[in-house]
Amino acid sequence: MAAEKVLRMNPADHEISYANNSFYQKEVLMKVRPIVEEAITYMLKKIGVPTCMKVVDMGCASGPNTFQAISHVIDTVHGLCEQQGLKLPEFEVLLNDLPENDFNSVFKSIPDFYKQNGDLVQERSFIGGVAGSFYHRLFPSTSLHFVHSSNGLHWLSKLPVRLENNKGNICMARSSPPNIFKAYANQFWEDFTNFLSSRSKEIVRQGCMLLTFMVRRNPNPSHEHHCLELLAKSLLDLVAQGIVKEADVDSFNLPIYPPCKEEVVDIVEKEGSFEIKQLQVFEMDIDPLSRDEKVRNKEFYMKMGNNIANTFGAGLEPILCGHFGDAILDELFRKFASHEADDPNRSMHQIVNLVVSLIKK
Amino acid sequence: MAAEKVLRMNPADHEISYANNSFYQKEVLMKVRPIVEEAITYMLKKIGVPTCMKVVDMGCASGPNTFQAISHVIDTVHGLCEQQGLKLPEFEVLLNDLPENDFNSVFKSIPDFYKQNGDLVQERSFIGGVAGSFYHRLFPSTSLHFVHSSNGLHWLSKLPVRLENNKGNICMARSSPPNIFKAYANQFWEDFTNFLSSRSKEIVRQGCMLLTFMVRRNPNPSHEHHCLELLAKSLLDLVAQGIVKEADVDSFNLPIYPPCKEEVVDIVEKEGSFEIKQLQVFEMDIDPLSRDEKVRNKEFYMKMGNNIANTFGAGLEPILCGHFGDAILDELFRKFASHEADDPNRSMHQIVNLVVSLIKK
């Protein structure tokens, strides 16, 4: 099945919806706010304030985070304009995700967004949706000023080829054979290059792009712990119980690839359309809700495990369901939560992120 | 409940969906094609071919008709450019409807639209959705070149006030008291004025707008037969059977108003932003599928009645359901189909349309 058909977050009315299980993604947004502000400040200094600033959020999903990101962009521009006595621009905001995304839920949230942001924003910002893969062209030439994408670009456009020998794993993992690393890296190279060259045609000169996505710590992927290994482990538990066939696990791989920082820099430089203004790697607890708890007892870890499982569930259930059927999902995520709770390795409870701020040459 | 919440077509996966019951709307589109072509030809002569032509379909609903309208616009521009050896523009196409519309289904149809229209269209046209009432601003200032709206503007933004004495009717009908005519006309005046002044700000100078909607034949509405009277009759049948309460029918009115041609001209002139280039009134069979049948026996009329009931059902079921509940719908539309089949008055099986081509001054 084409990636477009299976890569989507759970819809907003689903029990474990992305809308209600995206605190981690919200924290990532909070973390990169200063870099967004810097990027916009730099851009407006270079190109001036356009009459209408066209802003895109790529991989918007169906939850509230896209509106948080957008309102932060609008606020930042407003702040700068007020500071410098400049006329506020209008904003054309386009929210993008794959055609299977729950756009109906996104659109139903727009009236609330306006209510929360007041008359000035309502009068001057115009919001729409654009469905399609960001690995292709989606917008007219030289039309965008600011492109934002959070938590999307580690999703590949499709599964790499020749993953047959990745047995017992569900994506690139420490125990994967070397050809698996190569296959995933090649697909990421192709996809990220396509992403950059598509945006390159769409973004105005000196326009700006702010990308945040999952990366790994180590250039060598066989040194990397990854929390999805615990999901693979949970699937193997179900194999041991006779609930899932071993062959089904062996033939299942996720189109997810966390590159290392060096790969990202390399691809941006080789593609050639963008200059890197800022690049940072940072770690983030998958369950930010439980981070501040004082008592770290069994109950605490179970709650954390559940929250982590729900965060992944909102994104992974559709694709897992497409391969294994929905009957196993509850049990699978119960096991996943329990493995997360039991795991003493703190790095298993964190995701490494890269944020990069790019300027169109 | 706000009009935004109840005014929507049945979604695409509904048994009587708009997508599968919009042959009438498709016929209307076919009928106005020459006027669309004339309008675009005139506009491009005046403003030249823009690098990116921004096209909007307002009230796109969830069916295939919006794509037919859009591909006709694109074809027309392509034809003109080829004829005159001009560079083809890119197209930014935005499909608009209320936030409750089934945009997910619209977006899922985009890949097929591209497949049917070939690589040239896929490479050069970028499609998005914008959710919101067209009686407000929806797009940035001076950004649109061609605005299209078919079968939308007879839907009012809300119910007129003081309809309490419109007993036994469900919208303006021959037997309505004079204050009802006045109340509906006032609401249309306000809504259509808002529509024009909102678009006036959004459309470029000499940009073009092509509107088709239901009107009535006679300036005096008390002389007008209307097929919705048969829907009111069907509701009263259910009252007689004790299935529906009389008070529920008395308190129910549809926010639909067919103006007469003279009112439309008057409002356009008073609002003042647009010049009328073309205006035509034409009648159209509600059931174009059965129009060419040779044998007009009982079976023929029952089929026609069913088709007419389904055409109205796709648009009216959500609003009827909101007031009367869904238990009565099957029986109501069975009766409606049967009244349509029995009615000898040909004008009951037709809708009068107005198409007006406007140029932004």
Side-chain angles (χ1 to χ4, degrees), chain A residues 213-233:
Chain A
F213 52 96
M214 190 166 81
V215 292
R216 61 180 192 270
R217 294 169 188 87
N218 305 290
N220 185 339
S222 62
H223 295 162
E224 190 88 3
H225 284 258
H226 194 276
C227 46
L228 283 177
E229 291 181 19
L230 294 181
L231 185 60
K233 189 175 173 184

mmCIF file of all heavy atoms in Angstrom, chain A residues 213-233:
data_model
loop_
_atom_site.group_PDB
_atom_site.id
_atom_site.type_symbol
_atom_site.label_atom_id
_atom_site.label_comp_id
_atom_site.label_asym_id
_atom_site.label_seq_id
_atom_site.Cartn_x
_atom_site.Cartn_y
_atom_site.Cartn_z
ATOM 1 N N PHE A 213 12.820 17.595 13.669
ATOM 2 C CA PHE A 213 12.465 16.180 13.531
ATOM 3 C C PHE A 213 13.404 15.308 14.353
ATOM 4 O O PHE A 213 14.411 15.768 14.868
ATOM 5 C CB PHE A 213 12.417 15.751 12.059
ATOM 6 C CG PHE A 213 13.652 16.092 11.255
ATOM 7 C CD1 PHE A 213 14.661 15.155 11.059
ATOM 8 C CD2 PHE A 213 13.788 17.343 10.677
ATOM 9 C CE1 PHE A 213 15.784 15.469 10.293
ATOM 10 C CE2 PHE A 213 14.918 17.673 9.915
ATOM 11 C CZ PHE A 213 15.923 16.728 9.739
ATOM 12 N N MET A 214 13.018 14.041 14.442
ATOM 13 C CA MET A 214 13.754 13.080 15.253
ATOM 14 C C MET A 214 15.080 12.730 14.584
ATOM 15 O O MET A 214 15.107 12.478 13.377
ATOM 16 C CB MET A 214 12.896 11.818 15.372
ATOM 17 C CG MET A 214 13.372 10.820 16.360
ATOM 18 S SD MET A 214 12.054 9.602 16.668
ATOM 19 C CE MET A 214 12.240 8.498 15.273
ATOM 20 N N VAL A 215 16.130 12.747 15.346
ATOM 21 C CA VAL A 215 17.432 12.293 14.834
ATOM 22 C C VAL A 215 18.000 11.272 15.821
ATOM 23 O O VAL A 215 17.373 10.940 16.827
ATOM 24 C CB VAL A 215 18.421 13.471 14.654
ATOM 25 C CG1 VAL A 215 17.977 14.389 13.534
ATOM 26 C CG2 VAL A 215 18.598 14.266 15.944
ATOM 27 N N ARG A 216 19.189 10.765 15.514
ATOM 28 C CA ARG A 216 19.861 9.891 16.489
ATOM 29 C C ARG A 216 21.105 10.610 17.003
ATOM 30 O O ARG A 216 21.572 11.579 16.393
ATOM 31 C CB ARG A 216 20.190 8.538 15.861
ATOM 32 C CG ARG A 216 21.117 8.596 14.688
ATOM 33 C CD ARG A 216 21.386 7.178 14.148
ATOM 34 N NE ARG A 216 22.488 7.208 13.212
ATOM 35 C CZ ARG A 216 22.356 7.399 11.896
ATOM 36 N NH1 ARG A 216 21.155 7.581 11.361
ATOM 37 N NH2 ARG A 216 23.415 7.407 11.121
ATOM 38 N N ARG A 217 21.626 10.115 18.116
ATOM 39 C CA ARG A 217 22.797 10.776 18.714
ATOM 40 C C ARG A 217 24.068 10.456 17.940
ATOM 41 O O ARG A 217 24.932 11.298 17.782
ATOM 42 C CB ARG A 217 22.982 10.306 20.161
ATOM 43 C CG ARG A 217 21.861 10.715 21.114
ATOM 44 C CD ARG A 217 22.000 9.960 22.444
ATOM 45 N NE ARG A 217 20.857 10.166 23.315
ATOM 46 C CZ ARG A 217 19.739 9.444 23.285
ATOM 47 N NH1 ARG A 217 19.613 8.452 22.409
ATOM 48 N NH2 ARG A 217 18.735 9.697 24.106
ATOM 49 N N ASN A 218 24.167 9.196 17.508
ATOM 50 C CA ASN A 218 25.440 8.709 16.984
ATOM 51 C C ASN A 218 25.439 8.591 15.466
ATOM 52 O O ASN A 218 24.484 8.054 14.905
ATOM 53 C CB ASN A 218 25.722 7.301 17.527
ATOM 54 C CG ASN A 218 25.676 7.284 19.028
ATOM 55 O OD1 ASN A 218 26.547 7.839 19.668
ATOM 56 N ND2 ASN A 218 24.628 6.669 19.582
ATOM 57 N N PRO A 219 26.516 9.020 14.814
ATOM 58 C CA PRO A 219 26.619 8.740 13.387
ATOM 59 C C PRO A 219 26.483 7.232 13.117
ATOM 60 O O PRO A 219 25.844 6.833 12.158
ATOM 61 C CB PRO A 219 28.010 9.256 13.023
ATOM 62 C CG PRO A 219 28.263 10.348 14.020
ATOM 63 C CD PRO A 219 27.603 9.889 15.288
ATOM 64 N N ASN A 220 27.028 6.395 13.960
ATOM 65 C CA ASN A 220 26.923 4.954 13.771
ATOM 66 C C ASN A 220 25.612 4.433 14.382
ATOM 67 O O ASN A 220 25.476 4.380 15.609
ATOM 68 C CB ASN A 220 28.118 4.264 14.421
ATOM 69 C CG ASN A 220 28.110 2.767 14.135
ATOM 70 O OD1 ASN A 220 27.067 2.185 13.814
ATOM 71 N ND2 ASN A 220 29.277 2.158 14.239
ATOM 72 N N PRO A 221 24.655 4.028 13.568
ATOM 73 C CA PRO A 221 23.321 3.669 14.101
ATOM 74 C C PRO A 221 23.342 2.403 14.942
ATOM 75 O O PRO A 221 22.419 2.173 15.716
ATOM 76 C CB PRO A 221 22.475 3.490 12.844
ATOM 77 C CG PRO A 221 23.445 3.283 11.723
ATOM 78 C CD PRO A 221 24.729 3.938 12.103
ATOM 79 N N SER A 222 24.400 1.606 14.814
ATOM 80 C CA SER A 222 24.391 0.373 15.614
ATOM 81 C C SER A 222 24.766 0.659 17.066
ATOM 82 O O SER A 222 24.751 -0.225 17.911
ATOM 83 C CB SER A 222 25.331 -0.672 14.998
ATOM 84 O OG SER A 222 26.660 -0.187 14.999
ATOM 85 N N HIS A 223 25.121 1.904 17.367
ATOM 86 C CA HIS A 223 25.376 2.267 18.765
ATOM 87 C C HIS A 223 24.160 2.889 19.442
ATOM 88 O O HIS A 223 24.220 3.287 20.585
ATOM 89 C CB HIS A 223 26.546 3.281 18.837
ATOM 90 C CG HIS A 223 27.841 2.712 18.388
ATOM 91 N ND1 HIS A 223 28.909 3.487 18.025
ATOM 92 C CD2 HIS A 223 28.233 1.422 18.226
ATOM 93 C CE1 HIS A 223 29.911 2.697 17.649
ATOM 94 N NE2 HIS A 223 29.528 1.450 17.767
ATOM 95 N N GLU A 224 23.067 2.990 18.716
ATOM 96 C CA GLU A 224 21.947 3.801 19.210
ATOM 97 C C GLU A 224 20.849 2.958 19.868
ATOM 98 O O GLU A 224 20.278 2.069 19.234
ATOM 99 C CB GLU A 224 21.360 4.598 18.027
ATOM 100 C CG GLU A 224 20.368 5.653 18.419
ATOM 101 C CD GLU A 224 21.040 7.006 18.724
ATOM 102 O OE1 GLU A 224 22.279 7.115 18.565
ATOM 103 O OE2 GLU A 224 20.314 7.928 19.115
ATOM 104 N N HIS A 225 20.538 3.275 21.117
ATOM 105 C CA HIS A 225 19.312 2.739 21.730
ATOM 106 C C HIS A 225 18.141 3.470 21.117
ATOM 107 O O HIS A 225 18.211 4.662 20.872
ATOM 108 C CB HIS A 225 19.259 3.056 23.233
ATOM 109 C CG HIS A 225 20.157 2.208 24.034
ATOM 110 N ND1 HIS A 225 19.712 1.143 24.766
ATOM 111 C CD2 HIS A 225 21.501 2.265 24.216
ATOM 112 C CE1 HIS A 225 20.730 0.581 25.379
ATOM 113 N NE2 HIS A 225 21.837 1.249 25.061
ATOM 114 N N HIS A 226 17.038 2.797 20.944
ATOM 115 C CA HIS A 226 15.871 3.531 20.475
ATOM 116 C C HIS A 226 14.606 2.936 21.061
ATOM 117 O O HIS A 226 14.440 1.731 21.121
ATOM 118 C CB HIS A 226 15.806 3.521 18.940
ATOM 119 C CG HIS A 226 14.839 4.526 18.441
ATOM 120 N ND1 HIS A 226 13.505 4.260 18.350
ATOM 121 C CD2 HIS A 226 15.004 5.807 18.079
ATOM 122 C CE1 HIS A 226 12.890 5.344 17.926
ATOM 123 N NE2 HIS A 226 13.780 6.295 17.754
ATOM 124 N N CYS A 227 13.715 3.819 21.508
ATOM 125 C CA CYS A 227 12.526 3.353 22.217
ATOM 126 C C CYS A 227 11.635 2.467 21.343
ATOM 127 O O CYS A 227 10.880 1.652 21.861
ATOM 128 C CB CYS A 227 11.735 4.515 22.770
ATOM 129 S SG CYS A 227 11.530 5.814 21.580
ATOM 130 N N LEU A 228 11.736 2.600 20.011
ATOM 131 C CA LEU A 228 10.920 1.719 19.177
ATOM 132 C C LEU A 228 11.385 0.267 19.267
ATOM 133 O O LEU A 228 10.639 -0.641 18.911
ATOM 134 C CB LEU A 228 10.918 2.201 17.716
ATOM 135 C CG LEU A 228 10.007 3.399 17.457
ATOM 136 C CD1 LEU A 228 10.121 3.869 16.022
ATOM 137 C CD2 LEU A 228 8.553 3.075 17.779
ATOM 138 N N GLU A 229 12.614 0.072 19.765
ATOM 139 C CA GLU A 229 13.065 -1.301 20.010
ATOM 140 C C GLU A 229 12.154 -1.993 21.018
ATOM 141 O O GLU A 229 11.943 -3.194 20.964
ATOM 142 C CB GLU A 229 14.516 -1.306 20.506
ATOM 143 C CG GLU A 229 15.513 -0.884 19.435
ATOM 144 C CD GLU A 229 16.962 -0.922 19.920
ATOM 145 O OE1 GLU A 229 17.256 -1.590 20.930
ATOM 146 O OE2 GLU A 229 17.799 -0.260 19.277
ATOM 147 N N LEU A 230 11.619 -1.182 21.949
ATOM 148 C CA LEU A 230 10.710 -1.774 22.950
ATOM 149 C C LEU A 230 9.364 -2.140 22.330
ATOM 150 O O LEU A 230 8.675 -3.040 22.816
ATOM 151 C CB LEU A 230 10.529 -0.815 24.132
ATOM 152 C CG LEU A 230 11.776 -0.570 24.983
ATOM 153 C CD1 LEU A 230 11.451 0.375 26.131
ATOM 154 C CD2 LEU A 230 12.330 -1.896 25.530
ATOM 155 N N LEU A 231 8.991 -1.445 21.282
ATOM 156 C CA LEU A 231 7.758 -1.819 20.570
ATOM 157 C C LEU A 231 7.994 -3.131 19.816
ATOM 158 O O LEU A 231 7.116 -4.015 19.817
ATOM 159 C CB LEU A 231 7.340 -0.695 19.605
ATOM 160 C CG LEU A 231 6.004 -0.899 18.895
ATOM 161 C CD1 LEU A 231 4.847 -1.028 19.890
ATOM 162 C CD2 LEU A 231 5.711 0.257 17.935
ATOM 163 N N ALA A 232 9.183 -3.272 19.207
ATOM 164 C CA ALA A 232 9.532 -4.538 18.549
ATOM 165 C C ALA A 232 9.517 -5.682 19.571
ATOM 166 O O ALA A 232 8.959 -6.758 19.323
ATOM 167 C CB ALA A 232 10.906 -4.422 17.895
ATOM 168 N N LYS A 233 10.102 -5.397 20.744
ATOM 169 C CA LYS A 233 10.125 -6.398 21.813
ATOM 170 C C LYS A 233 8.699 -6.823 22.208
ATOM 171 O O LYS A 233 8.419 -8.002 22.441
ATOM 172 C CB LYS A 233 10.855 -5.795 23.027
ATOM 173 C CG LYS A 233 11.169 -6.752 24.153
ATOM 174 C CD LYS A 233 12.012 -6.039 25.225
ATOM 175 C CE LYS A 233 12.202 -6.903 26.456
ATOM 176 N NZ LYS A 233 12.920 -6.182 27.528
#
